[in-house]
Amino acid sequence: MNALRNLLVQLRQYPSALAGLMVVGFLLGLAAFALVAIPYSQALELWRGGAQWQHYPVNASPAWSNWFRATNLPRTVRVESRAEQAVEERFEGGRILSMPLEFDYHYGAFPSEMNLFLSAEFAEREPFMRLTWHTPDGREIPVGGRRISRQERVSISQDWNLERRLGGLPHVQLLADPNSNGLPQVLPGRYRLEIEAILFEPEATLEATLVAYGRVYGLAGTDHQRRDLMVALLWGTPVALAFGLLAAVGTTITTLVIAAAGVWFGGWIDATIQRLTEVNMILPLLPILILVGTLYTTSIWVMLGIVVALGIFSAGIKVYRAMLLPIREAPYIEAARAYGASNSRIVLRYMIPRILPVLIPNFVILIPGFVFLEASLAVLGLGDPVLPTWGKVMNDALSEGALYHGFYYWVLGPAVLLMLTGLGFAMLGFALDRIFNPRLRMI
Amino acid sequence: MTDSADKLAAPYAAPRSTGGLLTDIKRIATFTIMRLVALFVTVIIGVYLAILVANMGGQVDQLRIVQIESGIAERFRADPAFFDLPSEQRQALIDTQVQMEIERLRLDQPFIRRSVDYLVQAISLNLGRAEQLHSDAGSRQVRDIIVERLPATLLLFGTANFLIFFTSIFAALYLSRRYGSGLDRAVIGLAPSSAAPPWFYGIFLILIFAFLLGALPHGGMVDVPPPEGRLAYAASVLRHMILPVTAMFVASIFISIYSWRTFFLIHSSEDYVEMARAKGLPGRLIEQRYILRPTLPPIVTSFALSLIGLWSGAIITERVFNWPGVGTLLFQAIGQTDTPVIIGSVVIFAYLLALTVFLLDVVYAVLDPRVRLAGGAR
């Protein structure tokens, strides 16, 4: 406890270390928040995509990007039908249901898309409906009629007939000011979509939701599959930290034990370890990971295992060996031998703990390397198949041409988090290095 | 290889010992050969490992059998001589042919024996035929495809590495003379920025210089269509190289300067350097003879290590910049699951790494007097 306090006191002399510590703390907090806010199974379910995201816009920028823009881009407007607003009119063999879907629209730009979701309940005969669009200046535009199945998505934006009739994209023309010359301008005010449905059965019901998809969404925006990027950015944090930490712990500890064993036993064991290290140094790690990823599995945990396995005989062995050689001759080791300590006890309890403090900075500096390795694999298209990670978001963005289309937020979100992780751990590690290795401190 | 090493060694060795020149050469040659053998063994182990990984669970065998089956079936279907045969007879014929082919390729033998076959094929660079990809010249041979892409990779990474190496050494020497200055502290402060790999900076550079400013191309190696004339072509390639080289440069320059600076500072406090200073030797001479000369071997070693690291990084940097090198090839091969190309690229990577290490070992032998004196017993 005292040692820890001393360390903190020393760390305080390095502003970069404090900054690094804060960043690492922030990331740990974010990871904890992600684990609590979105449970694991739910995160996987969300990231799988599909119908659960159907009310979300495609490729929407983060909402805060409006602060840097002259025009106020729209958020998604979602209007649900309410029973008390519906007017019923019975006739023989059925009834006519009139439902208004009303909303205010005051944004500076048009929605990116417009859909009407209908869910009807009936026994046999499908209801029929007719749609009328009422603009704030009193125009009435028929939007068309159709039969309704149980679950129906009426894509107003992709209605070709409507587009031809209006002379432009429906979700633009329906909201446009008719007096605007040149580029269409939004006519602000209260809009109404009137649904007139004929239900042929007494028990039949109809519910409708109108979605005018925005161009901005949430804190992180959405991707090409309408998924909220926040899920991936949040959940990428624990995944990245876990991968980086486990890989760093795994490689450091195994390497250390092997190096210590080599130093302690000497002879052919030491020689074999040395040769294996030389072989391992020229083994191409990334191509081997790529090979495994392509042929077997892209599971992040398998990749982690391979990274650790190939990291056992890493170049670090040479460094640790140089540190451990003088320790082997230290009097306390001789004392341990004299009282009959076993080989494993000497290696694990006496030699390794001695150089652990020197390794802590190395260990901290190693972490971002592994975090970026995971991202690199994902950018190559070998990301974990189910887990949402930062690298996978970047891969999606790059393969969908996000930079080309100007969806900068899509790349910048995960990039900023990756950079934070890299800088945070590196700054902390460099400062620790100076504290634990006094030789550097003088310089 | 040994000849060139001897030639390299001669000018260094000659002024030192008049009678020992021949022994020097002999020792360096022994060292070189030993390293060559050791590296070759290493490559064999590496490639064998790659083959084991690639064939775990018989994936590659399965692929090859499927290839053989479809190839033979296709041949029978296309040949008019077999049109009249009843389908059962044709199927029987196909089956026997497939069986013969499997026996010919020894796919029915145990894996241990076959893996040796594969190893020999891979080591002799007999890399087989690609499944999907082909070279720009139209060849389906994996070797041709890779050889066509190699110069692009070598150009880009060679340039970036040499730039990083020499800049960081000279900047580090400069800073070690002025340590504690504002510039020095700035470089130390910037060192953590190297935690991010080159492709990461590449994305930002592309964003800023290619898309926001539109000043530089966002990817590729030459303009489309390629300009006429050698000079225009070279200029176009240079323009396309600016961003990737900058990305690699930014990603490793600060950590490189930082570690060299620390290294030089430690060495410039050695007693013999203090002695030289006390003698009143000019600063430049101290740097060259008393600091740089004895520290050259470790510098070379770490250069080799950084090269190895960059070879791996090449794959993704090339992907981000769409540079038509081996890395992009590997990426395409992954996308189309073209196993022969993937394995071939791994083999080539292993060879390139070994070659890098070997060349630097030779330089090391020339630079380090201990190698010459002890004769390979390092």
Side-chain angles (χ1 to χ4, degrees):
Chain A
M1 211 55 229
N2 229 347
L4 199 66
R5 196 173 307 139
N6 274 341
L7 181 63
L8 282 177
V9 169
Q10 277 183 316
L11 268 181
R12 227 187 294 162
Q13 295 167 2
Y14 298 95
S16 69
L18 286 184
L21 211 56
M22 271 159 61
V23 170
V24 171
F26 165 74
L27 288 170
L28 288 175
L30 201 63
F33 174 73
L35 292 176
V36 174
I38 314 172
Y40 180 72
S41 55
Q42 195 190 339
L44 296 193
E45 185 59 40
L46 283 172
W47 197 241
R48 201 173 297 146
Q52 54 188 327
W53 295 107
Q54 62 182 353
H55 291 176
Y56 289 75
V58 173
N59 284 333
S61 302
W64 46 263
S65 65
N66 266 342
W67 300 340
F68 308 104
R69 245 191 290 263
T71 50
N72 185 18
L73 291 188
R75 286 163 191 264
T76 299
V77 179
R78 195 156 160 260
V79 201
E80 281 175 43
S81 62
R82 271 177 299 192
E84 68 267 21
Q85 286 179 336
V87 180
E88 257 187 29
E89 195 182 314
R90 286 179 184 280
F91 67 92
E92 195 144 335
R95 59 207 158 105
I96 300 175
L97 196 67
S98 306
M99 290 193 297
L101 294 173
E102 275 188 301
F103 66 98
D104 285 310
Y105 198 84
H106 291 286
Y107 295 105
F110 294 99
S112 59
E113 208 183 333
M114 198 148 42
N115 283 341
L116 181 66
F117 295 90
L118 297 163
S119 78
E121 269 178 41
F122 54 89
E124 266 169 23
R125 229 178 129 187
E126 292 173 333
F128 184 85
M129 67 150 195
R130 207 171 55 204
L131 301 172
T132 321
W133 185 260
H134 297 262
T135 60
D137 55 354
R139 285 172 298 142
E140 281 183 28
I141 306 170
V143 177
R146 60 160 68 206
R147 288 192 179 285
I148 312 165
S149 55
R150 282 190 174 76
Q151 292 289 333
E152 184 101 19
R153 195 189 74 165
V154 183
S155 182
I156 297 172
S157 312
Q158 286 168 12
D159 188 335
W160 297 108
N161 281 326
L162 187 62
E163 185 171 340
R164 211 170 317 128
R165 199 142 43 85
L166 295 171
L169 289 170
H171 56 272
V172 172
Q173 294 302 326
L174 288 175
L175 294 152
D177 188 343
N179 303 320
S180 61
N181 326 321
L183 281 176
Q185 299 283 321
V186 175
L187 178 71
R190 197 161 180 79
Y191 286 86
R192 193 166 92 234
L193 180 68
E194 193 75 42
I195 302 176
E196 250 185 330
I198 305 173
L199 306 173
F200 299 103
E201 292 164 8
E203 297 299 313
T205 58
L206 177 68
E207 276 169 26
T209 310
L210 174 70
V211 184
Y213 295 92
R215 290 175 189 275
V216 295
Y217 177 80
L219 275 175
T222 59
D223 69 2
H224 61 304
Q225 297 186 32
R226 304 178 188 272
R227 295 177 296 194
D228 183 0
L229 286 179
M230 205 58 199
V231 175
L233 295 189
L234 270 182
W235 251 89
T237 321
V239 174
L241 291 185
F243 188 86
L245 271 171
L246 288 177
V249 168
T251 49
T252 314
I253 297 216
T254 47
T255 307
L256 191 55
V257 171
I258 298 265
V263 166
W264 179 244
F265 293 110
W268 65 270
I269 295 181
D270 194 28
T272 314
I273 290 173
Q274 294 278 323
R275 296 294 90 73
L276 276 176
T277 309
E278 273 153 26
V279 171
N280 200 44
M281 259 157 75
I282 75 160
L283 277 187
L285 171 67
L286 196 61
I288 288 181
L289 285 177
I290 288 170
L291 212 57
V292 173
T294 325
L295 295 177
Y296 306 108
T297 165
T298 49
S299 159
I300 199 169
W301 309 118
V302 173
M303 295 290 173
L304 179 69
I306 294 167
V307 167
V308 173
L310 286 179
I312 291 176
F313 291 100
S314 67
I317 283 196
K318 303 241 170 202
V319 183
Y320 302 155
R321 196 169 169 271
M323 287 181 196
L324 286 163
L325 271 173
I327 292 176
R328 197 177 99 135
E329 309 299 331
Y332 78 97
I333 299 279
E334 212 168 324
R337 254 167 118 178
Y339 84 71
S342 67
N343 283 333
S344 60
R345 186 179 170 84
I346 291 178
V347 168
L348 295 176
R349 303 292 298 276
Y350 292 104
M351 287 174 74
I352 291 176
R354 182 70 189 275
I355 65 165
L356 267 185
V358 189
L359 294 183
I360 291 173
N362 264 337
F363 167 75
V364 175
I365 294 172
L366 270 179
I367 294 173
F370 289 117
V371 172
F372 274 104
L373 179 68
E374 190 273 315
S376 303
L377 283 172
V379 168
L380 280 176
L382 297 173
D384 189 275
V386 291
L387 273 178
T389 67
W390 297 335
K392 272 174 82 180
V393 174
M394 284 185 111
N395 183 42
D396 284 347
L398 290 180
S399 34
E400 295 291 320
L403 294 180
Y404 182 76
H405 293 295
F407 305 138
Y408 300 138
Y409 69 94
W410 199 354
V411 177
L412 288 178
V416 165
L417 281 169
L418 274 171
M419 195 72 227
L420 268 183
T421 314
L423 277 182
F425 281 102
M427 287 196 294
L428 186 62
F430 274 77
L432 286 174
D433 206 16
R434 292 164 148 262
I435 293 168
F436 284 113
N437 300 327
R439 192 156 187 205
L440 289 174
R441 206 184 319 170
M442 298 182 305
I443 292 162
Chain B
M1 277 299 179
T2 43
D3 280 354
S4 64
D6 293 345
K7 267 179 218 141
L8 264 172
Y12 284 90
R16 277 176 182 258
S17 49
T18 42
L21 176 61
L22 208 66
T23 30
D24 269 12
I25 292 175
K26 214 187 273 170
R27 277 175 182 156
I28 289 182
T30 330
F31 172 80
T32 311
I33 290 167
M34 293 218 355
R35 283 304 290 163
L36 207 56
V37 171
L39 280 170
F40 191 65
V41 172
T42 313
V43 169
I44 288 176
I45 296 175
V47 171
Y48 193 72
L49 208 72
I51 289 170
L52 282 186
V53 170
N55 208 33
M56 223 190 310
Q59 304 258 16
V60 175
D61 291 347
Q62 215 56 48
L63 276 170
R64 284 170 56 127
I65 290 174
V66 168
Q67 263 182 333
I68 291 167
E69 276 171 358
S70 63
I72 289 172
E74 197 58 43
R75 215 167 62 216
F76 272 79
R77 216 167 296 138
D79 193 341
F82 296 103
F83 277 0
D84 305 336
L85 275 174
S87 63
E88 298 92 50
Q89 266 190 40
R90 193 162 28 157
Q91 193 54 47
L93 258 174
I94 291 177
D95 285 346
T96 36
Q97 286 265 330
V98 168
Q99 203 48 46
M100 275 162 67
E101 192 66 11
I102 285 175
E103 272 168 35
R104 188 179 75 79
L105 292 169
R106 292 200 266 180
L107 285 177
D108 52 346
Q109 302 265 326
F111 175 66
I112 296 292
R113 198 177 299 170
R114 266 179 303 118
S115 69
V116 177
D117 284 359
Y118 292 154
L119 183 65
V120 172
Q121 279 177 14
I123 292 291
S124 56
L125 288 183
N126 180 7
L127 301 174
R129 269 171 71 86
E131 283 165 19
Q132 314 279 339
L133 298 164
H134 52 79
S135 72
D136 291 344
S139 168
R140 294 296 290 269
Q141 290 294 319
V142 173
R143 189 178 5 178
D144 293 344
I145 299 175
I146 294 176
V147 163
E148 200 179 63
R149 302 291 193 102
L150 257 183
T153 300
L154 289 176
L155 174 69
L156 185 62
F157 288 86
T159 314
N161 267 311
F162 278 101
L163 218 58
I164 291 164
F165 181 64
F166 287 109
T167 315
S168 58
I169 292 278
F170 287 110
L173 269 179
Y174 178 85
L175 286 184
S176 71
R177 251 180 278 146
R178 290 170 186 70
Y179 77 90
S181 67
L183 195 65
D184 186 35
R185 288 224 293 277
V187 167
I188 297 176
L190 282 170
S193 70
S194 300
W199 62 263
F200 187 79
Y201 289 104
I203 288 175
F204 284 101
L205 288 175
I206 293 173
L207 176 62
I208 296 168
F209 289 100
F211 288 114
L212 289 181
L213 300 178
L216 289 165
H218 64 268
M221 193 164 115
V222 282
D223 289 334
V224 181
E228 300 282 330
R230 273 162 182 269
L231 223 64
Y233 192 88
S236 172
V237 171
L238 269 181
R239 247 171 65 81
H240 283 77
M241 272 172 69
I242 294 174
L243 283 188
V245 169
T246 314
M248 283 183 265
F249 190 77
V250 171
S252 43
I253 191 68
F254 293 113
I255 186 75
S256 197
I257 295 179
Y258 172 78
S259 51
W260 287 131
R261 161 200 165 278
T262 313
F263 182 77
F264 286 140
L265 279 176
I266 290 171
H267 274 271
S268 59
S269 58
E270 295 279 357
D271 291 342
Y272 57 83
V273 182
E274 299 288 342
M275 176 70 187
R277 277 210 194 94
K279 279 200 287 188
L281 290 178
R284 195 151 293 278
L285 200 70
I286 293 179
E287 255 173 32
Q288 281 171 4
R289 288 215 189 133
Y290 290 80
I291 300 179
L292 215 45
R293 184 69 186 81
T295 51
L296 264 183
I299 290 178
V300 167
T301 314
S302 90
F303 181 54
L305 285 177
S306 76
L307 270 184
I308 290 171
L310 270 172
W311 273 126
S312 300
I315 299 168
I316 306 169
T317 313
E318 282 184 3
R319 137 97 160 121
V320 168
F321 283 101
N322 214 358
W323 189 263
V326 183
T328 307
L329 176 72
L330 189 51
F331 176 69
Q332 287 167 339
I334 294 169
Q336 307 190 13
T337 4
D338 198 328
T339 323
V341 177
I342 299 174
I343 296 174
S345 310
V346 174
V347 172
I348 294 282
F349 263 106
Y351 262 113
L352 280 175
L353 286 185
L355 193 70
T356 315
V357 174
F358 173 70
L359 284 180
L360 287 152
D361 268 344
V362 172
V363 177
Y364 197 105
V366 172
L367 290 175
D368 193 342
R370 278 169 298 186
V371 174
R372 257 176 288 153
L373 297 179
R378 193 157 53 104

